[in-house]
Each structure stands twice: as structure tokens, then as C-alpha cells.
């Protein structure tokens, strides 16, 4: 964070200083909420959680070098005390972003946010210093913490914005007002909370409504291939730039194909020219993500050649998102277990099918959460798709929702041993350990709450130990 005195921070957040001998002392380190991340000069933000109260760590963090604690009550060490710690954190982020004048890029969507954010960051940082959301810390706490990590050298600030309801993105955009706003898609993630895709579109579109007009440099980047996203053009006064495979898109992909290993190759066409891209990421769904990143970068002044090179060299920066690892015995593990919704599940299955050409494929799948009344139909549809894509074997892991995955596969025509329902992750590991053979490709994917990354980790550990013999 930029250096600010404790007195200045107190004024910005409307707080009272307690036990601070020198209000002119400065916060020169990062703003953190985890006591393990404290560095000399940090500001520690004390949240009260369900199981942990950050105030209990106040003395320890100051001893470790924190300049002060942002707290909701006096804690016996230097502290700025406020009524609402979350609101104060947001106010501080708003102040710092305004003071820096950094070009802020915000993005949202039902699927692909984190992968696209990582691509945007990898492209833009070739042009200038860039700070971006780590992982998927895209809520009312993670977003301001990311914004506060920007410094005077930061040229671009790339922020992922998530939403669990109407008004959430409006709130985040008010904290950190974007100049460029990107909407990827409107799908069915969290549809149980929103109530329908139209409500999801209403929430996601709050981002483009927050943008400044075109005369002030505001730019809305919209997916030309998603009708609900494209319709958001009427909700903004910003300049509208379309990306996609549609011929009407300003930034589009042509001649799309996949390599034998499932990596996308395409020609990137922009208003300033065309250049070829060969991605390191896996799955055709990354073409749309790459186009979104390219549209952002092009609007911020990068040439098509620079963008294509950056996209061709970009990798995955976030854990458990299409992490592809080949074991010494030739088994390939695709760990995509960070999260799942119907759109990302379909994309991952198609990527598996492409990667598995001439090889035996396994889809180890679990529950997709927060689908409400659509849960049965969506799980059934994913099971059916696995059969249509000729996935070698579906292993559905867990309770009721997993049984719906397996039932969909069965009803689509998987009547033999091509699909199986197992009770938990350990049962899936036991099954795979006994049946995998060299050359197999295994996809592991479910909602975060299921914890299926343990399956991928166990299988990788098995390969490292050399326990699987060729069969």
C-alpha cells in the first residue's frame, strides 16, 4: 500500500485512534486480515468470524511489526477503532485508488472470471506494472485488500468482482470505480440464490452501469456471443467493445482448432490487425477468455502482436483450475476441482474429450452447488454430456447430486461399466488406483465444498510413488 499516516487513515475511515503514541507514524506495509501475513509496517484488519476473532491476535501482530490494528473495539495496542471494520476497509480502498489514479479494470461473469483475470494480468504486465486479484478473492473483503496492495508504480489494477445477489457488484464498483468493465457471460452459477438467468444478468450488468461515459474514457467490454451480455450495451454510456467468435465482434477469433493435446490455436483479429495465438492452457473455452483479455489490452494501447505473444505464453496462475500434470507412468491428471457450475463443467468435459484423443478418459465429478430448483436437471445434463462426448468412464462422487450425474449417464446410454457412483473421495481414489493404466487422462471437478482436489492430489502422490503398474 502507499504510505499513509495513522492519523490520515483514521480520518479517511472515520475512526478513533487508541493507544497510538505517534499518530504521524505511517503504515508502509501491506493491509492484511491474516495474522500470518503481517510484515513490518502492516495494517492488520481485525474481522470477527464464525470461529475466529481477529481482535484476539492484536497484541501478536503488533509484536510482529504491524503499525496498528483496524478494529471495532480497543485492543490494548495501537488501533484505529471504527463501528464497521468492513465499511472502513472499503473506504480506505476507495481513498487509495482515487489517490493513485491507476487505470482500473474490473470483470465479472458466471464462469471463467479467475482464468480470464489471470490472462488479462499476464498480458497487461508486459506493458506496465500490474496488480490483480489473487485467486478468486472477489468479494467485499478480498477486493479492497487487493486494491490496497497497489503502489505508486502500479499502472493497471485488475479486479475480479463476484456477486451473490442484486447490488453486490454495484457496491464493489463504488469502492473501486473501474474505467474498463468486462462482462464475460451470464450462466447458471448461483442460480439458486438469484432465482433465474435474467436476475443474474441484472446483477452482472451493474458493472457496465458503473462505468464513466465514453467521453471520460469509460469502456464496456461485452461478449458478443452471449445475448444477455450483449444486451447490456443499452445499460451504459461507456464505449462498447464486443469480443467473441461472432463476425460482428470487434475482437474475434478465426480458424479455431485444438492441438492434439487440447490446447487452442486461433487467429486473433482486432481493429488494428491480426496475429496467431497458440495457447498453453487446455480447452476451447479458453478462446473466449483470451478474446476478452485481448479486447481489454487492445483498448489500453497494446498492439495485436504484443497481445498474441502474451496470450501464447500465458499460463494458469490460480490453483486447481485445469492444472494438467503427467505422472511418470504416463497417466495425465487434470485438476479442475476449485469450483464447478454447469457451464464450466461442460467446458471441462469438452477439454477432456479433446485431450483424450486416442487415450482412455475418466471424468471424476461431484456436486455443483447453489443450483436451486435446477439442480436435478443440470446434474442429469452433465452426466448425459459425458456419454455424448465418449468419456471412457464417469465416476460420480458423493451424495444425491452425484447420483443424478450417474443417472443422467445411465439414461443417455451408459448401461454397462462406463459410469459408477461412489460414496466419497476415498472410494474414488481406491477405484482409480486399481483401474488406471498408463496413457489414461483423468479429469477431477466439483464445487469447492466437495473437496475433490484431494482425489487429484492422491493420484499424483500415487504416481510419484510408482505404485501403479502398467496393465
Amino acid at each position: 500500500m502507499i504510505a499513509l499516516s495513522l492519523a490520515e487513515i483514521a480520518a479517511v475511515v472515520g475512526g478513533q485512534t487508541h493507544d497510538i503514541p505517534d499518530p504521524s507514524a505511517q503504515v508502509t506495509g501491506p493491509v492484511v486480515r491474516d495474522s500470518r501475513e503481517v510484515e513490518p509496517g502492516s495494517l492488520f484488519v481485525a474481522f470477527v468470524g464464525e470461529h475466529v476473532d481477529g481482535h484476539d491476535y492484536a497484541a501478536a501482530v503488533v509484536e510482529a511489526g504491524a503499525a496498528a490494528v483496524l478494529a471495532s473495539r480497543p485492543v490494548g495496542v495501537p488501533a484505529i477503532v471504527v463501528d464497521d471494520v468492513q465499511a472502513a476497509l472499503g473506504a480506505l480502498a476507495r481513498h487509495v485508488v482515487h489517490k493513485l489514479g491507476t487505470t482500473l479494470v474490473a470483470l465479472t461473469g458466471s464462469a471463467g472470471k479467475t482464468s480470464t483475470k489471470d490472462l488479462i494480468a499476464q498480458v497487461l504486465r508486459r506493458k506496465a506494472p500490474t496488480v490483480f486479484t489473487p485467486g478468486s478473492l472477489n468479494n467485499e473483503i478480498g477486493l479492497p485488500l487487493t486494491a490496497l496492495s497497489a503502489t505508486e508504480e502500479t499502472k493497471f489494477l485488475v479486479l475480479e468482482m463476484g456477486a451473490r445477489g442484486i447490488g453486490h457488484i454495484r457496491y464493489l464498483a463504488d469502492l473501486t470505480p473501474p474505467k474498463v468493465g468486462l462482462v464475460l457471460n451470464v450462466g447458471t452459477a448461483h442460480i439458486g440464490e438469484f432465482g433465474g438467468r435474467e436476475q443474474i444478468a441484472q446483477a452482472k450488468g451493474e458493472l457496465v452501469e458503473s462505468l464513466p461515459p465514453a467521453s471520460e474514457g469509460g469502456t464496456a467490454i461485452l461478449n458478443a456471443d452471449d445475448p444477455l451480455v450483449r444486451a447490456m450495451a443499452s445499460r451504459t454510456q461507456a464505449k462498447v467493445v464486443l469480443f467473441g467468435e461472432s463476425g460482428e465482434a470487434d475482437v474475434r477469433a478465426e480458424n479455431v482448432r485444438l492441438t492434439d493435446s487440447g490446447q487452442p490455436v486461433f487467429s486473433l483479429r482486432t481493429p488494428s490487425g491480426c496475429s496467431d495465438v497458440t495457447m498453453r492452457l487446455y480447452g476451447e473455452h479458453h478462446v473466449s477468455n483470451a478474446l476478452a483479455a485481448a479486447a481489454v489490452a487492445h483498448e489500453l494501447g497494446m498492439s495485436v502482436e504484443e497481445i498474441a505473444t502474451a496470450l501464447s505464453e500465458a499460463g494458469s496462475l490460480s490453483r486447481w483450475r485445469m492444472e494438467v500434470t503427467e505422472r511418470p507412468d504416463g497417466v495425465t491428471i487434470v485438476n479442475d476441482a476449485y469450483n464447478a457450475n454447469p457451464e464450466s463443467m461442460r467446458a471441462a468435459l469438452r477439454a477432456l474429450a479433446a485431450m483424450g484423443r486416442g487415450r482412455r478418459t475418466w471424468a471424476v465429478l461431484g456436486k455443483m452447488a447453489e443450483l436451486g430448483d435446477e439442480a436435478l436437471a443440470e446434474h442429469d445434463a452433465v452426466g448425459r454430456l459425458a456419454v455424448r462426448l465418449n468419456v471412457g468412464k464417469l465416476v460420480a462422487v458423493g451424495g444425491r447430486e452425484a447420483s443424478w450425474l450417474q443417472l443422467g449417464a445411465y439414461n443417455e446410454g451408459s448401461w454397462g461399466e462406463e459410469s459408477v457412483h461412489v460414496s466419497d473421495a476415498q472410494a474414488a481414489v481406491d477405484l482409480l488406483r486399481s483401474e488406471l493404466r498408463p496413457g489414461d487422462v483423468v479429469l477431477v471437478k466439483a464445487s469447492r465444498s466437495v473437496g475433490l482436489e484431494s482425489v487429484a492430489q492422491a493420484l499424483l502422490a500415487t504416481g510419484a510413488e510408482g505404485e501403479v503398474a502398467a496393465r
Side-chain angles (χ1 to χ4, degrees):
M1 188 179 82
I2 59 174
L4 296 173
S5 72
L6 296 177
E8 184 177 0
I9 293 173
V12 168
V13 302
Q16 299 294 320
T17 57
H18 284 260
D19 301 303
I20 295 178
D22 180 11
S24 67
Q26 291 189 325
V27 171
T28 57
V31 179
V32 300
R33 62 173 300 192
D34 187 330
S35 61
R36 295 166 295 185
E37 298 174 355
V38 166
E39 299 175 13
S42 290
L43 178 66
F44 176 71
V45 186
F47 283 97
V48 178
E50 185 177 349
H51 303 292
V52 177
D53 184 346
H55 296 79
D56 295 339
Y57 296 86
V61 298
V62 170
E63 185 178 352
V69 178
L70 184 62
S72 57
R73 63 178 186 264
V75 287
V77 295
I80 298 168
V81 177
V82 295
D83 293 333
D84 186 327
V85 171
Q86 179 181 306
L89 178 66
L92 183 59
R94 187 188 299 111
H95 173 78
V96 168
V97 167
H98 177 74
K99 194 167 184 176
L100 284 173
T102 300
T103 298
L104 201 154
V105 178
L107 71 152
T108 192
S110 294
K113 292 188 295 296
T114 299
S115 296
T116 304
K117 173 263 303 175
D118 289 348
L119 286 173
I120 294 171
Q122 290 177 84
V123 175
L124 291 183
R125 68 186 182 189
R126 287 174 171 260
K127 180 177 178 65
T130 301
V131 168
F132 58 101
T133 304
S136 57
L137 297 178
N138 58 20
N139 63 11
E140 61 276 5
I141 296 174
L143 181 137
L145 287 174
T146 301
L148 288 168
S149 67
T151 68
E152 290 87 348
E153 290 73 38
T154 303
K155 174 65 175 176
F156 301 116
L157 180 57
V158 182
L159 297 176
E160 179 181 328
M161 293 185 176
R164 301 179 306 279
I166 302 295
H168 289 179
I169 290 177
R170 185 180 302 113
Y171 171 79
L172 296 176
D174 181 61
L175 295 184
T176 53
K179 180 180 179 181
V180 178
L182 162 65
V183 183
L184 292 169
N185 44 55
V186 174
T188 53
H190 309 295
I191 197 169
E193 295 183 357
F194 282 96
R197 293 185 75 227
E198 291 73 18
Q199 289 83 356
I200 295 173
Q202 181 63 35
K204 302 298 184 186
E206 292 170 1
L207 177 56
V208 301
E209 292 175 345
S210 74
L211 296 171
S215 60
E216 298 176 15
T219 304
I221 313 274
L222 301 177
N223 187 346
D225 301 330
D226 186 321
L228 289 176
V229 174
R230 185 163 182 170
M232 294 176 191
S234 64
R235 296 169 60 181
T236 185
Q237 297 181 45
K239 174 185 177 181
V240 173
V241 175
L242 299 177
F243 72 91
E245 297 187 46
S246 165
E248 299 177 0
D250 302 289
V251 176
R252 61 185 183 272
E254 298 176 346
N255 305 317
V256 178
R257 65 180 179 85
L258 294 177
T259 66
D260 290 342
S261 57
Q263 294 159 304
V265 177
F266 62 94
S267 294
L268 171 64
R269 184 166 295 280
T270 73
S272 62
C274 186
S275 191
D276 292 335
V277 175
T278 300
M279 300 189 74
R280 292 172 54 198
L281 302 176
Y282 294 83
E284 191 171 349
H285 60 291
H286 281 300
V287 174
S288 181
N289 298 342
L291 292 176
V296 170
H298 186 266
E299 286 302 306
L300 294 178
M302 293 184 69
S303 71
V304 65
E305 292 81 11
E306 290 175 314
I307 296 168
T309 298
L311 290 174
S312 295
E313 296 178 358
S316 177
L317 303 182
S318 301
R319 297 180 67 195
W320 307 335
R321 291 170 174 86
M322 294 298 289
E323 283 185 358
V324 179
T325 307
E326 184 167 342
R327 300 192 327 192
D329 64 355
V331 172
T332 299
I333 307 297
V334 184
N335 186 352
D336 196 30
Y338 186 84
N339 214 340
N341 57 57
E343 289 76 26
S344 67
M345 193 74 91
R346 288 192 285 270
L349 284 172
R350 292 189 178 101
L352 173 66
M355 294 172 66
R357 292 170 182 163
R359 305 169 69 182
R360 191 171 64 157
T361 52
W362 296 72
V364 183
L365 309 180
K367 171 183 176 179
M368 298 178 287
E370 299 174 348
L371 294 179
D373 294 340
E374 301 297 319
L376 173 56
E378 293 290 0
H379 285 86
D380 177 87
V382 167
R384 291 174 181 272
L385 179 62
V387 175
R388 292 172 190 163
L389 292 172
N390 294 316
V391 171
K393 188 156 187 175
L394 168 66
V395 181
V397 185
R400 180 182 59 177
E401 290 85 358
S403 70
W404 295 339
L405 286 166
Q406 197 273 334
L407 183 61
Y410 179 85
N411 288 335
E412 187 65 24
S414 178
W415 300 316
E417 298 181 354
E418 296 90 350
S419 64
V420 62
H421 177 210
V422 298
S423 59
D424 55 27
Q426 187 56 54
V429 171
D430 293 342
L431 172 67
L432 289 158
R433 280 177 171 164
S434 67
E435 296 194 18
L436 283 180
R437 60 177 183 250
D440 287 358
V441 185
V442 184
L443 167 70
V444 181
K445 187 169 182 64
S447 280
R448 185 72 189 90
S449 58
V450 181
L452 278 197
E453 70 276 1
S454 64
V455 173
Q457 292 165 345
L459 294 178
L460 289 173
T462 296
E465 296 163 4
E467 295 176 1
V468 175
R471 298 174 63 189

